Amino acid sequence: MSDVRPPTLDTVAEAAGVSRATVSRVVNGTARVSPRVHAQVENAIAELGYVPNRAARNLVNRRTDSIALVLREPDATVLADPYLGSMIIAISRALADTTFQLVLVNARNDSKHGTLADYVRGGHFDGVLLASMHTDDPLPGVLVGSHVPTVVSGRPEHPIPGLLFVDSDNVGGGRLATEHLVSLGRRRIATIAGPPDMTATPDRLAGFRAALADAALPEGPVAAGDFTHPSGERAMAELLDRAPELDAVFAGNDMMAAGALRTLRARGRRVPDDVAVVGYDDIDLAHHTEPALTTVRQPVDDAARTMVDLLIGQINGEPGGESVVLPNELVKRDSA
Amino acid sequence: MSDVRPPTLDTVAEAAGVSRATVSRVVNGTARVSPRVHAQVENAIAELGYVPNRAARNLVNRRTDSIALVLREPDATVLADPYLGSMIIAISRALADTTFQLVLVNARNDSKHGTLADYVRGGHFDGVLLASMHTDDPLPGVLVGSHVPTVVSGRPEHPIPGLLFVDSDNVGGGRLATEHLVSLGRRRIATIAGPPDMTATPDRLAGFRAALADAALPEGPVAAGDFTHPSGERAMAELLDRAPELDAVFAGNDMMAAGALRTLRARGRRVPDDVAVVGYDDIDLAHHTEPALTTVRQPVDDAARTMVDLLIGQINGEPGGESVVLPNELVKRDSA
DNA sequence: CACCAAAATGAAAGCGCTCTCATTGCGGGC
DNA sequence: GCCCGCAATGAGAGCGCTTTCATTTTGGTG
């Protein structure tokens, strides 16, 4: 309600005794300006506390200088997984050194103005980062079709021409976890898989099976979970019923691994003595379970930085961006 | 790189055979338009897929339609606490039904363009939400001084005129936890306090002491932590050394409670039989510790919604916003 | 049927910025 | 001393929108 308007380019120009164009030039460093004039302008800017008006700038430049982070999680269950939170923080950090703002778009499909797809396509953002994608989600296709620079986290089920993604090597991760169990001498290895509509699930499963095959071990039983703690408890119970003699479990994420741990304890199985357990993600919780979880760590910070770099490259029209698959790492603790 | 520009008001106007002003009116519902013309315009909009240009709108309206969520956490340690993540999600959800965008500003003091304070003051946002404040942070004062609508999460140490905050009743929460321990018959009750530079810490401590006084119990030992898991382990060890006979602990958050649990187990104390433990926050982890944590739940969703409502009220110049303190709730599980 | 108020619409002025194009100023080569 | 070329600067158009103000249309009344 204060009616004092912030200084504009013209204000500064007048104060410095030059034209608006010149001030613009020094603000943007876009052309040479004589040292004397440059100093005058700088002084005027400092004195008036001038800050460029973003809207005006965006209008003429046809850029918004902001990128959307779309979280595709209709149900709160998966939001409980701190992995997503760490992703958000990592992306925000990766963006901190750029001029881009991070806009969080919490997307239950069409909450905002009309469809989410329309909203995102509506030129509100220079680019879009998609996290926690499901295989049947049409959004990435729509965005690419609308020429909106887009990078998704996690390999899409079907490659979409022009869609870049950053993923961690889930096949390798599944293999890493399973090979570790094998190296421990375990022979009856089961797995708790994640939701089938995220590619991480089949990928980790593929790594699991490949490692088993390499070790000439029979394919262990598979139970399905949905990345939540309770689903891990249930899946473990199911596994125990189906294969009471199992001596190891590879869980599709740490949350489910924690659930499995609880079921194992309830059933009187000691971990890792009777049953070894390996999780996935290395979320904070992995330190706190009893026993502490051996798990596969994903390079969240690297992934975030890579996504941001790829996206900005696309926004700037640089050629040659390529999807990236980052390696994972086994973190050995006490559960296996 | 595509050179086809999106449709503008003029495009639509021409297609509908009316003036730009009229189209603007139907888009904004700002004035009456005859039904026939209205329909024509709607058709044209639908056909062309017109979406208003946000920058142009912002320029003339002097609004950005976006609000900043500033996370004031220089060190990653506190970021590991999922409480913050749940806050982010809750705020994002609370904003989903409004026209405002949520911009995440991850603020290690002056990463972006110049000082954070300047950046935030630079008119990039209509309002600011501050989370995880520390008592010595000058930012809220600066913002209020610059007439930037601001709402902070958590009571500031010294009331700042014009600064609204939303907090949960930490004194009451500390009391709730402690009274529960007292009601369990515990008599030697210790506490692990959080970082002293957040008001939640002295407040919870005050509640703790008040409850002890009410029960005519001596003031128990206090150890200091920093809200992290390791600090909880250390603080518990210290407490055990100083007061080996203690039979209950109230921890300033769940993370430290989990650490305390681990130390207790290592020292051979059974929970809750030998030592009862109560945490604070009811983060997801509270379900997964062994035993599951009894804890104080903060109304995160309510708090988020309240913050958003207050902020939007301020932005719209509505009078009469008041700081709010929300009640907490004791969640009984197995640790006490 | 003429008249006037009210309703509907249009014309146009900016919002603050960038950038093209034109103009000015300057030094050096002849 | 004059002219040319380049560096420095300024003038001004326009980005897409909202909004005031003027104008046209409409419809009710005498």
Side-chain angles (χ1 to χ4, degrees):
Chain A
M1 315 302 87
S2 76
D3 227 26
V4 286
R5 293 199 184 165
T8 72
L9 264 196
D10 283 299
T11 325
V12 176
E14 196 177 357
V18 298
S19 79
R20 183 180 48 201
T22 299
V23 179
S24 173
R25 283 189 266 259
V26 354
V27 169
N28 298 296
T30 169
R32 312 197 45 175
V33 169
S34 72
R36 188 181 49 245
V37 172
H38 195 283
Q40 287 170 26
V41 171
E42 293 268 287
N43 282 346
I45 288 177
E47 238 160 76
L48 295 169
Y50 169 76
V51 179
N53 178 309
R54 175 174 264 251
R57 207 174 238 184
N58 291 345
L59 180 56
V60 40
N61 288 337
R62 299 203 164 62
R63 293 186 44 144
T64 64
D65 268 352
S66 55
I67 75 140
L69 172 55
V70 176
L71 301 180
R72 216 67 168 100
E73 285 308 342
D75 49 3
T77 55
V78 187
L79 280 181
D81 194 327
Y83 182 70
L84 199 52
S86 59
M87 197 72 199
I88 298 177
I89 301 287
I91 289 175
S92 145
R93 257 201 305 257
L95 237 23
D97 307 317
T98 72
T99 57
F100 289 92
Q101 295 188 332
L102 211 215
V103 177
L104 217 59
V105 179
N106 192 345
R108 44 183 198 291
N109 208 349
D110 41 27
S111 53
K112 216 105 183 173
H113 329 288
T115 326
L116 172 69
D118 284 343
Y119 177 63
V120 169
R121 256 170 40 205
H124 297 299
F125 311 108
D126 295 337
V128 175
L129 255 22
L130 285 172
S132 64
M133 294 299 311
H134 296 264
T135 50
D136 56 350
D137 197 323
L139 189 58
V142 171
L143 291 176
V144 170
S146 312
H147 302 288
V148 177
T150 304
V151 175
V152 319
S153 160
R155 178 178 72 79
E157 186 176 22
H158 306 292
I160 300 179
L163 211 218
L164 296 184
F165 67 87
V166 173
D167 203 355
S168 74
D169 178 8
N170 287 303
V171 178
R175 182 183 274 277
L176 224 45
T178 313
E179 282 173 351
H180 176 63
L181 292 170
V182 170
S183 78
L184 258 26
R186 308 295 163 141
R187 292 296 173 262
R188 300 157 187 277
I189 308 178
T191 188
I192 301 176
D197 65 341
M198 307 185 77
T199 52
T201 294
D203 285 358
R204 289 172 197 176
L205 210 48
F208 170 74
R209 289 184 172 135
L212 252 29
D214 284 359
L217 253 27
E219 192 171 306
V222 178
D226 61 8
F227 278 167
T228 66
H229 187 271
S231 81
E233 294 189 51
R234 276 194 304 272
M236 190 67 242
E238 179 193 330
L239 249 20
L240 249 18
D241 292 342
R242 275 166 50 195
E245 77 292 356
L246 60 79
D247 59 9
V249 181
F250 164 45
N253 76 345
D254 287 346
M255 219 61 178
M256 294 193 298
L261 248 27
R262 163 155 300 194
T263 295
L264 287 167
R265 190 181 309 113
R267 299 278 188 110
R269 309 280 181 123
R270 289 166 308 160
V271 177
D273 312 271
D274 300 331
V275 179
V277 176
V278 177
Y280 211 106
D281 283 351
D282 194 24
I283 61 176
D284 211 68
L285 171 64
H287 296 270
H288 309 321
T289 55
E290 183 58 32
L293 268 180
T294 291
T295 186
V296 178
R297 167 151 53 210
Q298 306 201 61
V300 182
D301 285 318
D302 274 8
R305 205 181 330 281
T306 308
M307 288 180 71
V308 165
D309 288 348
L310 283 179
L311 187 64
I312 292 180
Q314 264 192 84
I315 290 172
N316 293 335
E318 293 160 14
E322 294 250 330
S323 292
V324 173
V325 175
L326 299 165
N328 295 305
E329 178 189 358
L330 186 73
V331 180
K332 292 181 200 165
R333 297 209 178 86
D334 308 326
S335 68
Chain B
M1 309 289 86
S2 76
D3 227 26
V4 286
R5 294 199 184 164
T8 71
L9 265 195
D10 282 299
T11 325
V12 177
E14 196 176 357
V18 298
S19 79
R20 183 178 47 199
T22 300
V23 179
S24 174
R25 284 189 266 258
V26 354
V27 169
N28 298 297
T30 169
R32 311 198 46 175
V33 169
S34 71
R36 189 181 47 245
V37 173
H38 194 283
Q40 286 170 29
V41 171
E42 292 269 285
N43 282 345
I45 288 177
E47 238 160 77
L48 296 168
Y50 168 77
V51 179
N53 178 309
R54 176 176 264 252
R57 205 174 239 186
N58 290 344
L59 180 56
V60 41
N61 288 338
R62 300 204 161 62
R63 294 188 43 146
T64 64
D65 269 352
S66 56
I67 76 139
L69 173 54
V70 176
L71 302 179
R72 217 65 171 99
E73 285 308 342
D75 48 3
T77 56
V78 187
L79 280 183
D81 194 329
Y83 182 69
L84 198 52
S86 59
M87 196 74 198
I88 297 176
I89 301 286
I91 290 174
S92 145
R93 256 201 305 255
L95 238 22
D97 306 317
T98 73
T99 57
F100 290 92
Q101 295 188 332
L102 211 216
V103 177
L104 217 59
V105 180
N106 192 345
R108 44 184 197 294
N109 208 349
D110 41 29
S111 51
K112 215 103 184 179
H113 329 288
T115 327
L116 172 70
D118 284 344
Y119 175 62
V120 169
R121 255 171 41 206
H124 297 299
F125 312 107
D126 295 337
V128 175
L129 256 20
L130 285 171
S132 65
M133 296 298 311
H134 295 265
T135 51
D136 56 351
D137 196 323
L139 190 57
V142 171
L143 292 177
V144 170
S146 310
H147 303 288
V148 177
T150 303
V151 175
V152 319
S153 160
R155 178 177 73 80
E157 186 176 21
H158 306 292
I160 300 179
L163 211 217
L164 296 184
F165 67 85
V166 173
D167 203 354
S168 74
D169 179 10
N170 287 302
V171 178
R175 181 184 274 278
L176 224 45
T178 313
E179 283 173 351
H180 177 62
L181 292 170
V182 170
S183 79
L184 258 26
R186 309 295 163 141
R187 292 294 173 266
R188 300 156 186 278
I189 308 178
T191 187
I192 301 176
D197 65 341
M198 306 185 76
T199 53
T201 295
D203 285 358
R204 289 172 197 177
L205 209 48
F208 169 74
R209 288 183 172 136
L212 289 182
D214 285 359
L217 254 24
E219 192 171 307
V222 178
D226 62 6
F227 278 166
T228 66
H229 187 271
S231 82
E233 293 189 51
R234 277 195 303 274
M236 190 67 242
E238 179 193 330
L239 250 19
L240 249 18
D241 292 342
R242 276 166 52 194
E245 77 292 358
L246 60 79
D247 59 8
V249 181
F250 164 45
N253 75 344
D254 288 344
M255 219 61 177
M256 296 194 297
L261 248 28
R262 165 157 298 195
T263 295
L264 287 167
R265 190 182 307 115
R267 299 277 188 109
R269 309 280 182 121
R270 290 167 306 163
V271 176
D273 312 273
D274 300 331
V275 179
V277 176
V278 177
Y280 210 104
D281 283 352
D282 194 26
I283 62 177
D284 211 67
L285 171 64
H287 296 269
H288 309 322
T289 54
E290 185 56 34
L293 269 178
T294 291
T295 186
V296 178
R297 167 152 53 210
Q298 306 200 62
V300 182
D301 285 320
D302 273 9
R305 203 179 332 279
T306 308
M307 288 179 71
V308 166
D309 288 348
L310 284 179
L311 187 64
I312 293 180
Q314 264 191 82
I315 291 173
N316 293 336
E318 293 161 13
E322 294 248 331
S323 292
V324 173
V325 175
L326 299 166
N328 294 306
E329 178 190 356
L330 185 74
V331 180
K332 293 181 199 164
R333 296 207 179 86
D334 308 326
S335 69

